[in-house]
Amino acid sequence: MSTLEIRDLKVSIETDQGTKHILKGVDLTINEGEIHAVMGPNGSGKSTLAYTIAGHPRYNVEGGSITFDGQDVLEMSVDERARAGLFLAMQYPVEIPGVTVTNFLRTAKTAIDGEEPSIRHWGATVKDAMGKLRMDPSFAARNVNEGFSGGEKKRHEILQLELLKPKFAVLDETDSGLDVDALKIVSEGVNRAHEETGLGVLLITHYTRILRYIKPDFVHVFVDGKVAEEGGPELAERLEDEGYDRYLVAQA
Amino acid sequence: MPVQTRSERFTSTAHADFPEVTGREVNWKYTPVAKLGDLIDGELDGSPYEIAYADAAGATVEWLDRTHALVGAAGIPEDRAAANAWTNFEKALHIRLEGDAETLTVVRSTLGGSARAAHTIVSAAKGATGLVVLDSQGDAKLTENVEIVLEDDANVTVVSVQQWDDSALHLASQYARIGHGASLRHIVVSLGGDVVRVNPSAHLAEEGAEAELYGVYFADAGQHLEQQVYVNHDAPHTRSRVTYKGALNGEGAHTVWIGDVLIGRDATGTDTYEQNRNLVLSDGTRADSIPNLEIETGDIEGAGHASATGRFDDEQLFYLQARGIPEDEARRLVVLGFLSEVVQKIGEPVLEARLHEALEDELAAAR
């Protein structure tokens, strides 16, 4: 069974005001097939955790470890992490001018699998996956994320999740900026990937709304770069009622 | 520096009318003039040359006498090299478009290394549509003028491809006159050659005229690729867009883009935007990028310009790598994508595919 283990992770970034310490010792263990929600107020370090797992160069790991089935993730390049089976659905996917969705998906699939997907089946697979996410077929010919609405960008992220079939996915505020219909469609995509491939999910969100559609097994509350409380789905319900105030008061 | 409005720049068809080139002039200061003496002042062979093309319905190709009324209909030279070509050409290659013409590609690939002059005219009848590719390959030492004349409501794309051999020297002035409600899409693709300078100008002469001017270029070590673009808004409700994108790689790779836009007194309701973007792939390169906007009427729709020269966008690399794509492949995709944005505007799949391949080769050589 695959396991992603994060131990005592400490991460900082460089800002104009100097070094800023964001993660101050995070511990998390996610097993294959589990869905973990990471919740917390803005600035608590949720997105930093997401980007550190993916290997964004802006984030400096100052201590601790991330291991994936015993492999040292922090030693891997960004693309090696993806090929090992880690996926990050981004909150703000960037535009890549001149690179069509079709070309991008085929290139990524080839890189992940180590061989070109079968020409005969790949086109149908992509078309089918796009249909399930209610994406218009004309998307395939557009340039990656160029002129996409917020909802279209998120669907495109989940499309990649379904096609690339990673072992673990970090979803960084995938719910932000989505209306209810889009939220449902995107959530269905995540649930499909979870059921079909035994995907492990780290769902990062500020709001409990998405947890109505994607049911977490565990909930972790982030405050000031640390896990302040952990529990089952019932913890999310409490947060729905009480918000984050009591953590912030306790901190003060 | 003296302020000189672009519309008042000296023009003549006679070589002798221009003073000797010093290399300090506003339109020569970025150009390696020392290599170009034969083209600026030398004797030129102005005879017709070999061309190759496949027949296309609605398009005719013929050689015109230099006294023909179309010669000079779109514009006349602003510099001594262009005037030298004008003084010396014997016949003008004329491409005529009528009705909905099929795509016409005219290839010249056997000009050879002795200095020569050429004159080309693309004209489109009232309401005509079409796509003309002027495709230059092989060796060349060439100075030339290209005129594009669009009658009312014509809608035409002209693609000028410079895929010369490494030693080629090429100076071109291209002039477009765009009539009432007519629309020109003009695309300059400069890949091969030692010194390649293509200066397109678009005269939006009548109400509702439109011009989209695109360019894409890839300069290798020691290569000089230049384009001085001029858009003259000279009538009400005219629209222009200028987008030039280039990549530079290797010691001494030099690109020049000058974008002059003039909004004349009569050009009320003008809508214009020009931009130049350069992607620097190695040390030792130089990209000069100079937008100029001259506005003589305040009553316009919009006018803007942008210029940016930089290295990779790391966020684009991160995004691609986060999908498993190795760094060198990701860089290749980003550069090709950056340049493909212009290639995608051509609308001719075979040529687009060929240019993609040529850009791939440029990139492969860059590694």
Side-chain angles (χ1 to χ4, degrees):
Chain A
M1 190 169 75
S2 279
T3 304
L4 182 68
E5 264 194 289
I6 298 165
R7 286 286 163 271
D8 196 27
L9 188 66
K10 292 175 180 145
V11 176
S12 68
I13 57 166
E14 296 306 317
T15 70
D16 293 341
Q17 288 80 43
T19 303
K20 191 175 170 197
H21 299 277
I22 301 180
L23 296 188
K24 300 170 180 173
V26 172
D27 293 291
L28 268 180
T29 302
I30 308 167
N31 293 309
E32 189 181 321
E34 292 177 353
I35 297 179
H36 292 243
V38 168
M39 307 190 61
N42 291 328
S44 58
K46 305 187 300 290
S47 285
T48 295
L49 176 66
Y51 280 89
T52 304
I53 293 171
H56 194 289
R58 180 164 182 238
Y59 299 92
N60 307 317
V61 176
E62 301 195 312
S65 65
I66 304 176
T67 51
F68 179 36
D69 294 344
Q71 296 168 273
D72 183 354
V73 171
L74 296 173
E75 283 298 308
M76 298 182 195
S77 65
V78 175
D79 48 298
E80 282 169 347
R81 296 178 198 205
R83 290 198 297 276
L86 298 176
F87 182 90
L88 169 63
M90 300 195 201
Q91 189 179 358
Y92 303 110
V94 295
E95 297 182 359
I96 315 222
V99 178
T100 62
V101 167
T102 301
N103 183 15
F104 165 65
L105 292 175
R106 197 192 320 106
T107 306
K109 185 67 176 170
T110 303
I112 297 276
D113 289 4
E115 59 178 359
E116 287 234 23
S118 129
I119 294 168
R120 235 165 38 136
H121 301 298
W122 178 243
T125 305
V126 172
K127 208 175 150 200
D128 182 51
M130 285 175 65
K132 285 180 182 155
L133 288 165
R134 319 272 207 289
M135 295 172 78
D136 191 89
S138 65
F139 252 83
R142 290 171 65 181
N143 291 331
V144 172
N145 293 319
E146 202 176 69
F148 287 21
S149 69
E152 288 168 344
K153 283 182 182 169
K154 297 297 172 67
R155 287 179 211 209
H156 182 234
E157 292 296 289
I158 301 308
L159 175 69
Q160 295 165 53
L161 171 69
E162 291 202 70
L163 290 171
L164 299 179
K165 303 192 188 307
K167 292 178 184 155
F168 281 97
V170 180
L171 310 181
D172 186 19
E173 306 214 9
T174 294
D175 50 341
S176 70
L178 293 184
D179 62 30
V180 174
D181 293 330
L183 183 63
K184 272 190 200 165
I185 291 166
V186 159
S187 299
E188 282 166 17
V190 174
N191 289 331
R192 270 196 302 276
H194 177 244
E195 281 157 27
E196 287 168 17
T197 65
L199 178 74
V201 178
L202 187 63
L203 181 73
I204 290 173
T205 181
H206 184 86
Y207 301 103
T208 53
R209 192 175 63 138
I210 194 172
L211 305 182
R212 282 176 230 155
Y213 306 103
I214 302 174
K215 297 287 176 202
D217 303 303
F218 304 94
V219 175
H220 314 264
V221 181
F222 258 47
V223 179
D224 191 30
K226 280 183 163 170
V227 177
E229 190 170 6
E230 295 177 294
E234 74 287 346
L235 181 53
E237 281 158 33
R238 268 187 71 189
L239 286 170
E240 169 111 51
D241 299 334
E242 298 171 13
Y244 298 113
D245 283 355
R246 75 191 161 91
Y247 300 104
L248 299 174
V249 170
Q251 193 191 349
Chain B
M1 201 165 78
V3 177
Q4 185 201 27
T5 164
R6 178 68 198 246
S7 60
E8 287 166 7
R9 197 176 283 182
F10 179 74
T11 60
S12 169
T13 57
H15 176 256
D17 288 351
F18 287 87
E20 266 187 58
V21 172
T22 63
R24 292 189 296 273
E25 298 82 356
V26 65
N27 53 351
W28 286 111
K29 61 197 258 191
Y30 299 101
T31 317
V33 291
K35 286 182 175 179
L36 303 169
D38 290 351
L39 294 178
I40 296 170
D41 291 315
E43 258 180 60
L44 303 171
D45 174 1
S47 61
Y49 47 88
E50 187 188 333
I51 52 170
Y53 62 94
D55 284 333
T60 53
V61 181
E62 60 184 339
W63 290 94
L64 296 180
D65 287 334
R66 51 180 291 130
T67 52
H68 195 281
L70 268 175
V71 174
I76 61 173
E78 289 187 336
D79 68 62
R80 188 155 152 134
N84 199 21
W86 203 295
T87 301
N88 284 289
F89 82 92
E90 289 169 18
K91 285 186 180 282
L93 178 67
H94 179 215
I95 296 160
R96 174 70 174 172
L97 303 178
E98 313 245 0
D100 292 326
E102 290 177 357
T103 295
L104 175 75
T105 301
V106 178
V107 183
R108 51 182 182 187
S109 57
T110 57
L111 293 183
S114 60
R116 63 154 50 247
H119 197 107
T120 306
I121 300 167
V122 177
S123 74
K126 187 174 186 333
T129 65
L131 192 166
V132 174
V133 182
L134 304 172
D135 190 352
S136 297
Q137 304 170 24
D139 196 13
K141 194 174 193 179
L142 171 69
T143 173
E144 66 168 344
N145 294 285
V146 176
E147 299 190 71
I148 300 165
V149 182
L150 301 194
E151 294 174 27
D152 294 353
D153 300 317
N155 187 341
V156 169
T157 300
V158 175
V159 187
S160 179
V161 180
Q162 288 68 238
Q163 207 172 357
W164 301 110
D165 289 352
D166 290 345
S167 58
L169 303 175
H170 180 208
L171 299 175
S173 291
Q174 304 201 353
Y175 322 86
R177 186 190 187 281
I178 302 157
H180 191 281
S183 172
L184 172 68
R185 178 174 287 199
H186 184 269
I187 302 164
V188 175
V189 182
S190 291
L191 299 175
D194 181 11
V195 177
V196 177
R197 180 172 115 141
V198 177
N199 295 348
S201 63
H203 183 196
L204 300 165
E206 293 175 47
E207 180 151 11
E210 281 192 18
E212 290 180 6
L213 308 182
Y214 296 99
V216 58
Y217 46 93
F218 195 122
D220 299 320
Q223 204 178 16
H224 178 95
L225 301 177
E226 175 166 354
Q227 32 263 314
Q228 299 182 14
V229 184
Y230 174 34
V231 181
N232 182 2
H233 286 268
D234 199 18
H237 304 292
T238 50
R239 178 180 179 274
S240 69
R241 290 290 182 273
V242 178
T243 302
Y244 272 67
K245 300 182 92 171
L248 299 90
N249 184 71
E251 194 64 36
H254 186 195
T255 65
V256 180
W257 178 84
I258 299 174
D260 291 341
V261 174
L262 170 64
I263 303 173
R265 261 178 297 280
D266 300 328
T268 52
T270 285
D271 174 11
T272 177
Y273 191 82
E274 60 166 350
Q275 59 172 330
N276 173 227
R277 302 200 182 276
N278 296 298
L279 194 51
V280 174
L281 305 178
S282 78
D283 294 331
T285 69
R286 176 174 160 186
D288 290 298
S289 179
I290 303 139
N292 296 308
L293 192 52
E294 228 183 300
I295 304 181
E296 294 177 347
T297 174
D299 181 15
I300 60 169
E301 193 88 353
H305 60 76
S307 161
T309 298
R311 292 190 177 253
F312 280 100
D313 179 344
D314 288 338
E315 294 302 322
Q316 292 180 346
L317 278 187
F318 173 73
Y319 188 79
L320 294 171
Q321 285 188 263
R323 300 304 179 244
I325 301 168
E327 184 176 347
D328 58 342
E329 169 86 355
R331 281 181 187 279
R332 197 186 65 88
L333 270 181
V334 170
V335 179
L336 281 179
F338 173 80
L339 298 173
S340 295
E341 247 195 323
V342 171
V343 176
Q344 286 173 347
K345 302 288 183 191
I346 293 176
E348 213 285 292
V350 177
L351 177 60
E352 287 183 19
R354 186 186 112 197
L355 294 175
H356 268 282
E357 211 169 292
L359 290 171
E360 294 253 13
D361 291 347
E362 295 270 358
L363 263 179
R367 249 178 277 151

